[in-house]
Amino acid sequence: MTLHAASREALDLAERSLGEVLAGAGAEPAKVGDELLSVVDLLDREIGLRRAVGDSSVAPESRQGLVRRLFDGKLSEQALKVLDTVAGSRWSSPRELVDGLESAGRSALLTAAEKAGNIETVESQLFQVARIVAGAPELEAALSDLSAPADAKRTLVRGLFAGKVDAVVETLVEQAVQRAKGRGIGNALDKLVALAAQRRERSVAYVTSANALTDEQRALLGTKLDGIYGRPIALHVEIDPALGGGLVVRVGDEVIDGSTSGQLAAVRRTLSRA
């Protein structure tokens, strides 16, 4: 998510507000996250409302009053406090306001996973969902179809993953599918993995291996990557026999290709230039 300067400041305020309400007695992070994301869905559907809430030429109090009239009694007071902050802040555009609200909703859900001691499980399951979608072109096409009804996509996600993954994972995946544009679903899911890893103060390494790695090999690879990047790395490994041997490691935009197929491809490129 790329935000302009005003929106970054507004997002900081929203995250601060979220932190305050979730630190309070009786806080229910999962409920707050679900409620904030339900407002995201509404603002995505209702263009006029989105513009009204995000119109920086209108007094903040008026925008907050609109939000209160719409949602008072329908959302928890915790969610309303965050929404007050979002509506009262100056965003660069109505679309960035919705993106910021989505970020707050995701943060609340990941906080729920942290408090339940499930954040590592959530991260792992998000990675598995991302790989399932990436490995099934027909599924990816169905989830990326811009003309498909939102309810149909939601039903498809629930049919595939309900009861098989943590509730936080299911909600995050549903939201990603609803808001991903076209073929951006894979990127959206990878971003969720990275967000979960950040909660454990780690960056993500996507490792593709020709063969399954032993626990000892995973530990050794993790230690080496920690040293290379100077920070803790969360390993997510998938198997692809087509590599022939070795590993391909991706951290951010950097790719380390130590696979047999990668080495052969490099040789071919060298020969073609000779």
Side-chain angles (χ1 to χ4, degrees):
M1 178 176 62
T2 303
L3 298 176
H4 293 87
S7 294
R8 288 197 297 272
E9 183 177 343
L11 179 59
D12 286 343
L13 291 173
E15 293 284 1
R16 194 178 310 158
S17 175
L18 178 67
E20 290 172 356
V21 300
L22 295 186
E28 299 180 66
K31 181 180 180 181
V32 172
D34 286 341
E35 290 177 336
L36 294 178
L37 293 181
S38 73
V39 178
V40 169
D41 289 341
L42 177 63
L43 294 179
D44 273 338
R45 294 195 307 270
E46 302 294 338
I47 297 175
L49 177 59
R50 180 171 73 238
R51 289 174 176 169
V53 176
D55 187 354
S56 59
S57 68
V58 175
E61 295 80 6
S62 296
R63 301 197 303 270
Q64 290 171 323
L66 171 61
V67 165
R68 279 284 173 174
R69 289 193 299 274
L70 284 172
F71 299 111
D72 200 11
K74 299 176 182 177
L75 300 179
S76 66
E77 187 59 31
Q78 294 166 334
L80 280 172
K81 286 181 179 178
V82 177
L83 204 50
D84 273 342
T85 301
V86 170
S89 299
R90 182 176 178 274
W91 299 83
S92 299
S93 69
R95 175 56 62 187
E96 290 192 5
L97 178 149
V98 180
D99 290 343
L101 187 59
E102 179 186 45
S103 178
R106 288 175 169 178
S107 291
L109 289 171
L110 291 174
T111 297
E114 280 184 310
K115 289 190 173 183
N118 290 337
I119 191 65
E120 188 170 358
T121 296
V122 164
E123 179 188 335
S124 177
Q125 290 180 350
L126 285 169
F127 172 74
Q128 293 301 324
V129 170
R131 301 284 67 77
I132 289 170
V133 172
E138 291 184 0
L139 173 60
E140 183 176 12
L143 295 176
S144 304
D145 186 354
L146 295 177
S147 64
D151 285 345
K153 291 183 180 181
R154 187 176 291 110
T155 298
L156 178 56
V157 170
R158 290 177 180 175
L160 288 169
F161 303 115
K164 301 174 184 176
V165 297
D166 189 276
V168 166
V169 173
E170 186 180 338
T171 302
L172 288 172
V173 171
E174 282 185 22
Q175 188 69 22
V177 168
Q178 297 303 321
R179 303 207 74 218
K181 306 301 180 186
R183 291 289 179 174
I185 181 61
N187 186 48
L189 293 173
D190 282 347
K191 285 182 178 178
L192 290 176
V193 178
L195 285 174
Q198 286 173 12
R199 290 302 181 110
R200 300 195 298 127
E201 299 183 342
R202 284 166 165 74
S203 296
V204 175
Y206 293 98
V207 180
T208 306
S209 174
N211 303 290
L213 300 181
T214 65
D215 291 343
E216 183 179 356
Q217 289 172 325
R218 290 176 67 103
L220 179 60
L221 177 60
T223 299
K224 287 185 175 180
L225 291 175
D226 289 352
I228 291 171
Y229 291 98
R231 58 184 184 273
I233 298 291
L235 294 183
H236 290 288
V237 182
E238 61 178 321
I239 308 302
D240 183 2
L243 290 180
L247 303 170
V248 176
V249 180
R250 175 169 63 86
V251 179
D253 295 328
E254 185 173 344
V255 176
I256 304 171
D257 191 345
S259 67
T260 301
S261 61
Q263 292 166 2
L264 289 173
V267 170
R268 292 192 192 99
R269 288 194 295 270
T270 301
L271 292 175
S272 68
R273 291 195 294 267

